[in-house]
Amino acid sequence: MEIRVENMLKQFKILKSLKARIFIIVFLIGMIPSMIIRYAILENYEDRAVNLRMSDVQNQLKIIANHLITYNYLHDTSSEVINAELEQLSNLYDGRVIIINSNLKVIKDTYAIGEGKTIITEEVIKCLKEGKGVSNYDKENGYIEMTTPIIEAKADEQSEEGNKKKDTVRGVMLTGVSTDNIMTTIDILSRKAMIMEILMLFIIFVIAFMLSKVLIRPFDRVTKAISEVKEGFTDEPVSVSDYLETEHIVDAFNQLVNRMKVLDNSRQEFVSNVSHELKTPITSMKVLADALLSQENVPEELYREFLVDIAEEIDREDKIINDLLALVKMDKKVSALNISVVDINALTEIILKRLRPIARKRDIEVIFESKRPVVAEVDEVKLTLVITNLVENAIKYNHEQGWVKVILDADYQFFTLEIMDSGIGIPEDSLEQIYERFYRVDKSHSREIGGTGLGLSIARNAVLMHRGSIKAFSVEGEGTTFTVKLPLNYVTA
Ligand code: ADP
């Protein structure tokens, strides 16, 4: 069953093409009205022609009915005039006239086969009784049947109530006329209409074909232009402005290309930065090693001193690699957060406890101010990276005997961590760039104090993954405040 449906869809795959759809729509819009009009005209013609024929014949029958009374035909059927009139009528309309007297006996039949017989049909009796004629069209057999009363008007006995009451129905004329010639006309008309329609069909087919081809052309151009960019023939922005729609597609495509270019550039820059950063400690080590090798009888203390330096460079290399790994891990969007319910107060306390010894070395005071207990759904490891990096920076870029203050607060939706310091501050024009990988306000100073330029990138990525925000406010020479705002409850997209 499923296979059959699939096969059917495959067969109708052509319907997925816009070109085919335009063709079908134009074709149907062209064809359907012409078919309806043809049908309506022919139907209308038949009704009108039959009605006309009915009233024509009925009028003539009324005249003859009057003559029948005048010539007393109901008692004597030998009147030449009437017989001629009847003959003429039946010839003219290819019909049959039967005259029935008040005893329901046929006194005249233009086909001369029913004379003397009795006719008892509903219409005839009704006509005799009520004095009213009726006409019926039998479409299937192609004839009209009519009854016409033969009325004798007694004008001399007129009374105040009118003369209708005095009229007497003396007999009935039962007439059948063929509608063959109407049908013939309809046949001819219908054939002509059919020829016209086939001609129209051809013209509409051509128009639909051309239109579907022309209308779709800009889309072909879009495909071609995009293919050229894809194959690498050109770097120019694509432009197909025939339709608003193609313009939108092309705009979106150009934006995508630009984004890819930016990404490519930043990737290249990142790779070159990484290489440079990794090379620096290696170069230092090489210089130190070469210095030792180039000398003979080097005293042991010098060896020791140089080896300590080399070990420091190795530590640096290790830190850079670790930071890079942390960053790369966070770059992978799929690396879903490992969300758990975390006591933020306790977590901050633990981190600060770990960092206080470093601060103490420079006589820096680290204060934690918690406005309320905060429990939030976060990735504990990543949030630890954020707080550690920010507090570490606040200590690193501080003056001796300075202070670092961490304030934790929350509302019903978010919690905020403010990390303030009394340090050197960040120049205003650098505030935008500090989150960039390897960006450092003062490269040599940062390197001296063991910075890699990756800490804030890592922190920002981790905050964004939690759908939070990070902002920096700083006055050069006075200090810096980083504000991290994170949702209390993690909501998946
Ligand atoms: P680094 O490893 O060099 O500290 P970061 O990405 O953590 O790299 O920080 C980038 C740069 O931003 C630092 O080199 C420093 O110049 C500046 N910076 C960061 N935090 C502070 C701060 N609290 N006070 C002053 N400058 C800061």
Side-chain angles (χ1 to χ4, degrees):
M1 180 70 188
E2 256 177 42
I3 294 172
R4 206 185 293 165
V5 172
E6 255 175 43
N7 280 343
M8 255 172 70
L9 279 178
K10 256 185 212 160
Q11 272 182 8
F12 290 114
K13 208 176 174 183
I14 189 150
L15 286 182
K16 277 186 92 176
S17 140
L18 182 60
K19 198 176 189 171
R21 286 187 193 185
I22 292 176
F23 176 79
I24 292 169
I25 290 168
V26 174
F27 192 67
L28 289 182
I29 288 176
M31 268 329 282
I32 291 173
S34 81
M35 283 165 96
I36 292 173
I37 289 170
R38 177 174 72 103
Y39 179 77
I41 287 178
L42 290 179
E43 230 6 58
N44 218 339
Y45 172 79
E46 186 180 351
D47 277 359
R48 234 187 102 66
V50 167
N51 281 337
L52 220 80
R53 172 71 48 92
M54 276 180 187
S55 66
D56 256 13
V57 177
Q58 197 62 275
N59 282 342
Q60 296 203 30
L61 284 173
K62 273 183 195 156
I63 296 168
I64 295 176
N66 282 337
H67 288 178
L68 291 180
I69 296 293
T70 320
Y71 287 88
N72 198 20
Y73 192 80
L74 290 172
H75 296 112
D76 178 11
T77 56
S78 62
S79 164
E80 291 281 323
V81 181
I82 302 290
N83 282 340
E85 273 180 13
L86 288 174
E87 202 61 37
Q88 197 187 7
L89 184 82
S90 46
N91 282 341
L92 190 61
Y93 294 111
D94 187 14
R96 177 184 185 182
V97 185
I98 299 169
I99 298 174
I100 304 157
N101 67 11
S102 52
N103 297 327
L104 301 174
K105 240 206 184 118
V106 176
I107 57 158
K108 173 74 185 172
D109 177 0
T110 50
Y111 277 18
I113 44 175
E115 280 161 13
K117 288 182 183 158
T118 308
I119 287 191
I120 309 169
T121 66
E122 207 181 310
E123 286 89 9
V124 171
I125 293 169
K126 214 172 156 193
C127 187
L128 255 180
K129 269 193 179 160
E130 294 174 12
K132 261 185 215 152
V134 283
S135 307
N136 279 321
Y137 173 43
D138 184 341
K139 192 173 175 155
E140 235 163 69
N141 298 314
Y143 75 94
I144 304 169
E145 195 185 67
M146 285 179 254
T147 50
T148 320
I150 305 164
I151 297 169
E152 187 175 350
K154 296 262 174 82
D156 47 344
E157 281 180 37
Q158 255 184 25
S159 69
E160 270 175 18
E161 294 128 75
N163 58 4
K164 255 196 181 157
K165 259 190 171 174
K166 308 290 176 207
D167 289 351
T168 322
V169 182
R170 294 290 180 206
V172 175
M173 290 174 82
L174 184 63
T175 316
V177 286
S178 161
T179 52
D180 278 357
N181 54 357
I182 294 177
M183 285 306 152
T184 316
T185 316
I186 286 175
D187 268 358
I188 294 167
L189 274 179
S190 148
R191 224 167 295 145
K192 278 187 180 165
M194 188 68 101
I195 292 169
M196 292 270 284
E197 215 168 270
I198 290 171
L199 224 110
M200 285 261 288
L201 194 116
F202 180 71
I203 294 169
I204 291 167
F205 185 89
V206 172
I207 291 175
F209 184 75
M210 306 262 277
L211 223 79
S212 61
K213 227 179 145 115
V214 170
L215 288 179
I216 227 68
R217 208 169 280 158
F219 289 99
D220 291 340
R221 272 207 286 276
V222 171
T223 316
K224 194 168 162 257
I226 290 179
S227 295
E228 273 175 10
V229 176
K230 191 183 79 191
E231 305 292 340
F233 292 141
T234 172
D235 244 1
E236 293 291 305
V238 179
S239 162
V240 181
S241 50
D242 304 51
Y243 299 142
L244 223 61
E245 285 78 3
T246 55
E247 227 171 74
H248 288 164
I249 296 174
V250 161
D251 278 353
F253 175 74
N254 285 336
Q255 277 168 21
L256 176 76
V257 170
N258 282 343
R259 207 178 119 69
M260 277 166 60
K261 272 186 197 156
V262 170
L263 279 178
D264 199 41
N265 286 346
S266 86
R267 206 191 60 215
Q268 274 177 14
E269 197 187 307
F270 181 59
V271 170
S272 88
N273 283 345
V274 167
S275 321
H276 179 77
E277 294 298 327
L278 290 177
K279 255 188 95 171
T280 320
I282 290 181
T283 316
S284 305
M285 283 189 271
K286 170 95 175 130
V287 170
L288 289 167
D290 280 350
L292 281 183
L293 288 175
S294 63
Q295 294 175 40
E296 272 178 31
N297 299 327
V298 185
E300 200 180 314
E301 303 84 66
L302 201 67
Y303 259 118
R304 187 164 283 281
E305 193 186 314
F306 275 35
L307 279 176
V308 169
D309 288 349
I310 289 178
E312 262 174 25
E313 292 299 331
I314 291 173
D315 282 346
R316 223 182 109 61
E317 186 93 35
D318 189 49
K319 189 168 181 338
I320 296 174
I321 290 171
N322 282 337
D323 276 2
L324 274 173
L325 285 178
L327 201 64
V328 168
K329 251 191 216 159
M330 250 176 285
D331 264 6
K332 280 195 211 146
K333 291 273 182 313
V334 270
S335 72
L337 290 171
N338 190 8
I339 298 291
S340 60
V341 178
V342 177
D343 179 343
I344 308 294
N345 297 67
L347 182 73
T348 316
E349 294 272 18
I350 294 169
I351 295 169
L352 294 186
K353 198 172 161 198
R354 215 169 46 221
L355 294 175
R356 269 197 188 103
I358 308 170
R360 213 168 293 135
K361 274 187 202 160
R362 296 179 61 210
D363 213 2
I364 293 168
E365 193 186 2
V366 179
I367 310 153
F368 178 40
E369 187 182 323
S370 169
K371 297 261 167 99
R372 65 196 78 236
V374 178
V375 175
E377 293 172 3
V378 291
D379 181 321
E380 190 171 346
V381 176
K382 298 210 165 69
L383 186 64
T384 306
L385 277 177
V386 176
I387 304 173
T388 310
N389 271 312
L390 293 177
V391 177
E392 243 177 16
N393 279 351
I395 297 169
K396 276 194 304 192
Y397 302 102
N398 216 322
H399 304 293
E400 297 253 329
Q401 293 165 341
W403 52 262
V404 174
K405 198 168 174 184
V406 180
I407 305 172
L408 173 64
D409 197 1
D411 58 18
Y412 66 101
Q413 238 184 332
F414 298 94
F415 70 94
T416 48
L417 267 164
E418 269 181 288
I419 295 104
M420 307 163 98
D421 66 58
S422 59
I424 57 172
I426 303 166
E428 204 176 335
D429 52 1
S430 295
L431 271 178
E432 286 279 302
Q433 291 154 284
I434 48 173
Y435 304 104
E436 284 171 21
R437 293 153 171 177
F438 297 115
Y439 181 82
R440 280 158 288 194
V441 176
D442 180 346
K443 243 184 178 140
S444 60
H445 175 65
S446 160
R447 194 169 289 152
E448 235 168 66
I449 52 179
T452 58
L454 294 172
L456 285 181
S457 295
I458 295 171
R460 196 173 88 115
N461 276 7
V463 168
L464 292 183
M465 279 176 89
H466 282 85
R467 296 174 195 284
S469 65
I470 179 166
K471 280 191 194 104
F473 172 79
S474 184
V475 179
E476 236 186 315
E478 283 183 24
T480 309
T481 303
F482 277 92
T483 310
V484 175
K485 191 171 175 182
L486 293 172
L488 287 170
N489 298 306
Y490 179 74
V491 211
T492 40

